Amino acid sequence: MHGPASSGWLLVALCAVTGAYCLARMRSGAEEQRSAAGGEALMGFGMAAMAVPTAVFTPPSWTWPVYAVVFGAAGVHALWAARTGAHHLHHVVGAVAMTYMSVAMAGSPGHGHGQGVPVLTGALLLYFAGYVLLSGVRLVPVAAMAGGGGSAGWGDRPELARACRLSMGIATVAMLLTL
């Protein structure tokens, strides 16, 4: 990621914590919850790795194509899962965004700013900005109702899962803005 190292490290921390919580969500009793959490954990940790400031560490040139293949495979998996529920389509868009950012970074000389396609970058920014706003609005009622004597484990708390998705959406917007 480009920009000040302090904001890059904050983004790394946010994405890594989100990925770690998604791993904890994989212990849920619901199969659908576990499946979604696995994909979100991959995205969280992948975003953390991509957000490491270039002033601190410049990954080798082979890293970006590997990221593109991994996120492309995650996108195919999410597309396959979308046949059972439309909510998986967001995971497809997230995987497409990660693949796109990886390809753009692979094509940048000296790993400077990526050479993204402005129209595609703009479309992804609009989607994720809308997603962040909608997720924020949806989070408020869940958090207000969740205060009543819940015995749900950490992996089954809908307000935390939504907060993680919101965090990853914000991180995606930040990463697309640097492209």
Side-chain angles (χ1 to χ4, degrees):
M1 187 171 142
H2 310 287
S6 59
S7 61
W9 284 119
L10 288 172
L11 193 57
V12 169
L14 174 71
C15 293
V17 168
T18 300
Y21 177 71
C22 290
L23 283 179
R25 283 183 34 226
M26 289 181 66
R27 297 180 58 187
S28 172
E31 172 62 32
E32 176 109 1
Q33 179 83 353
R34 287 191 308 267
S35 174
E40 291 167 1
L42 172 70
M43 291 297 173
F45 288 127
M47 290 170 70
M50 288 177 72
V52 172
T54 56
V56 175
F57 175 71
T58 302
S61 61
W62 57 264
T63 306
W64 301 112
V66 169
Y67 284 166
V69 169
V70 168
F71 293 124
V76 170
H77 181 266
L79 190 59
W80 180 257
R83 63 186 168 78
T84 62
H87 63 277
H88 290 286
L89 291 175
H90 171 70
H91 293 151
V92 173
V93 175
V96 166
M98 295 297 289
T99 304
Y100 168 66
M101 287 187 279
S102 299
V103 168
M105 292 307 295
S108 66
H111 303 293
H113 285 283
Q115 305 300 323
V117 179
V119 173
L120 185 53
T121 303
L124 288 169
L125 274 169
L126 282 175
Y127 172 81
F128 281 102
Y131 179 80
V132 164
L133 292 173
L134 184 60
S135 294
V137 169
R138 288 182 175 170
L139 184 61
V140 173
V142 172
M145 295 182 340
S151 62
W154 283 100
D156 294 321
R157 303 214 23 197
E159 72 278 10
L160 290 177
R162 287 184 178 168
C164 281
R165 291 183 190 114
L166 176 63
S167 297
M168 285 194 290
I170 292 169
T172 303
V173 168
M175 292 173 78
L176 284 167
L177 284 173
T178 66
L179 200 55

